[in-house]
Amino acid sequence: MQTFFDETLDISIQTNMSYDAKLYEYNFKAALAKIQQIESGAIANATAVPSESENRPVDHYNLRMKEEKVAGKSLAKTVEQWQLVKKFAEANMHKFKHVVFNGIGGSYLGPYMLIQAINGDEFNSVQQKENRPSLHFVANTDSDSFTQLFTQIDINETLMVVISKSGSTAETATNTQIFSELLKDKAPQHMAAITIPGSNLHKKAANWLATFEMNESTGGRTSIGSAVAMVPCAFANIDFEQFANGMCQMDEATRRPNNNPAFFISALIDQFLQKSAGPRNMIILGYADSLKHYYHYCQQLYMESLGKQYTHDGRFSPRGLTVYGGIGTAEQHAFMQQIQKGVQDSFVKFIQFNKRRFQDYKDEKAGTMGRQLLAFLKGTEAALDQNGRQFMTVSAKECSPFCIGQLIALEERIVTVLAAFWDLNAYDQPGVQDGKLAAGKVNKTSIQLDKLLVPVENLNAEQIMKKLDMNDNAQLITDLLNDMVFNPASYTNGLKGERKFVDGQFVFTFRK
């Protein structure tokens, strides 16, 4: 067992994992060079394969850097914007009973994680008690959840904050469109935007209540240090400036060539992955309910950043790190059995806070409730070690905006360091784009099928395609026809359908 401790950060890392420091001397030099390149404002989001590159800088570190290395980007500039955001929130705090944040990916995961961490699962009870509007998040294009939300809250007393760099993200754009249509002419006075200058959303929001700008070089999964989290924090009464200061302090520590916590953890992870050719996973367990959504945030951060198939110079070399997680001790009654006794394909990263925030309660067996949670953590560590499983435990001082900022900045830097080790571009997401493009094609097919479909009797997808003179994937057509059967009101053809399963396939009947 070994321990890393940084007195300035007041963060420790205990682990039964190890790495050979001599083997990583060049890796650490490469990582430092990558950090310097990124923070200088150079083109860092680039790969020799054109489809895998966005060819632009990466600026999330600059947003909380004391030195203004890149014009207009620094901790001071971020705090200036935070002051403007707070004024907007204060001016509108009592004009609306509800605020809906409309964004997906990092535009949703970061702010939601932060609000739940600081104000708990029942954060809207806190909002109500302190006479602030209730806070809600919409990310998916799920008509059921959208209907449920606006059945429970009055849309006429709601502010929607649209979070999208371009405004063209399908899920966010759909939710924006529907909200606007429901409010009609009143919509502009119920909307605000967070977007990049000159985007379609920026233009659309010209007559909205406010627009807060973010940078094109700020990736969605690393946007928590921008206006993306500022606006939710302002309405939740969370001190974003302290959060940014925590990130700044950790960034300074992870620029060091020595005693660098990001280097330490990255080398442990890389050495673990090197020991076997098989798939390997990182299980993140937060030993506090305030960390319930921490792993979900990290899941996107790691997997979208490191799940790549090409190196910077275009060599085919698929890499990645699968992330699962949850909170202790709940997951000890879920997947810990497999980790302890099943297939050996994972290491565990525990996150905990040393200082409890509120009152502790007596417990006969452990002394107090908090000590019982600590016993579960330390007992699980001991069991993992006994069973030959690997783990690390990251301990921060307390659950506060500052310490959450430290932890998130540490995770971001680990991603940068691992990407440098593996020579990857951590800041593009071509796989996500592939899914968006494919969804667009499905939409075109769905619109065409809706327009062309006529009454039919007991025909399968291929027979219906032939009748309609369509040339498409039979399974896709089957799935679309199935959706028409169950959700006729979502289509315009006015047909009512039914299906049967005959000889291993569905056959459909549609009538007027």
Side-chain angles (χ1 to χ4, degrees), residues 35-85:
I35 290 168
Q36 291 165 3
Q37 180 202 17
I38 290 171
E39 294 183 347
S40 73
I43 302 296
N45 181 349
T47 308
V49 180
S51 62
E52 311 284 311
S53 177
E54 294 177 340
N55 293 308
R56 60 190 182 210
V58 173
D59 72 359
H60 57 281
Y61 294 119
N62 299 95
L63 301 182
R64 66 263 189 156
M65 190 184 295
K66 290 179 181 177
E67 180 185 357
E68 191 174 327
K69 281 191 175 181
V70 178
K73 300 176 183 181
S74 67
L75 178 61
K77 294 293 184 182
T78 293
V79 173
E80 282 181 20
Q81 187 179 31
W82 167 236
Q83 298 305 322
L84 293 174
V85 168

Side-chain angles (χ1 to χ4, degrees), residues 100-112:
V100 173
F101 299 103
N102 172 22
I104 197 166
S107 300
Y108 150 67
L109 294 171
Y112 188 75

Side-chain angles (χ1 to χ4, degrees), residues 5-12 249 354 395-398 406:
F5 178 67
D6 186 293
E7 188 172 3
T8 302
L9 297 171
D10 203 0
I11 282 181
S12 65
Q249 188 196 53
N354 287 320
S395 301
K397 181 181 178 181
E398 61 190 358
Q406 288 180 315

Side-chain angles (χ1 to χ4, degrees), residues 149-353:
L149 174 61
F150 287 104
T151 299
Q152 295 167 11
I153 67 175
D154 185 349
I155 195 170
N156 293 296
E157 296 183 300
T158 298
L159 168 68
M160 174 176 275
V161 180
V162 182
I163 309 172
S164 175
K165 285 170 69 173
S166 65
S168 62
T169 303
E171 298 90 342
T172 307
T174 297
N175 291 329
T176 302
Q177 175 193 330
I178 294 168
F179 184 83
S180 298
E181 289 174 353
L182 289 173
L183 278 173
K184 299 178 181 176
D185 293 342
K186 295 184 294 182
Q189 296 308 305
H190 289 256
M191 302 184 79
I194 301 170
T195 188
I196 62 175
S199 71
N200 289 333
L201 177 57
H202 195 273
K203 296 170 185 174
K204 183 183 292 186
N207 64 337
W208 293 2
L209 288 177
T211 298
F212 297 101
E213 294 181 352
M214 60 182 298
N215 302 320
E216 188 175 18
S217 300
T218 308
R221 59 187 172 277
T222 54
S223 64
I224 194 170
S226 73
V228 166
M230 287 183 201
V231 179
C233 281
F235 279 100
N237 195 32
I238 292 172
D239 192 340
F240 180 86
E241 185 174 349
Q242 283 301 304
F243 174 73
N245 284 332
M247 300 188 93
C248 176
Q249 188 196 53
M250 179 58 71
D251 288 348
E252 290 176 344
T254 55
R255 291 187 190 105
R256 299 188 302 231
N258 301 306
N259 199 42
N260 184 322
F263 284 5
F264 181 73
I265 293 176
S266 298
L268 293 175
I269 293 173
D270 187 64
Q271 190 84 97
F272 172 81
L273 297 174
Q274 295 284 353
K275 289 180 179 178
S276 175
R280 285 293 179 265
N281 312 306
M282 176 167 67
I283 310 295
I284 298 178
L285 291 180
Y287 263 74
D289 282 0
S290 57
L291 293 167
K292 183 176 290 185
H293 297 288
Y294 186 86
Y295 90 91
H296 199 185
Y297 178 84
C298 289
Q299 189 175 57
Q300 183 197 19
L301 177 64
Y302 279 85
M303 296 180 71
E304 196 170 56
S305 299
L306 299 176
K308 303 294 165 59
Q309 61 180 338
Y310 295 107
T311 60
H312 273 107
D313 59 3
R315 287 173 289 117
F316 181 73
S317 180
R319 299 301 294 259
L321 177 61
T322 303
V323 176
Y324 303 109
I327 55 170
T329 64
E331 269 44 79
Q332 289 178 227
H333 297 271
F335 53 67
M336 189 54 72
Q337 168 65 30
Q338 177 170 312
I339 296 169
Q340 295 277 19
K341 299 293 187 180
V343 60
Q344 194 167 351
D345 63 353
S346 304
F347 74 93
V348 181
K349 180 199 280 186
F350 298 108
I351 311 290
Q352 71 139 1
F353 298 114

Side-chain angles (χ1 to χ4, degrees), residues 354-368:
N354 287 320
K355 184 178 180 180
R356 289 183 269 282
R357 295 169 70 190
F358 304 114
Q359 177 183 353
D360 203 354
Y361 298 91
K362 288 185 179 180
D363 177 87
E364 288 185 8
K365 292 183 179 180
T368 68

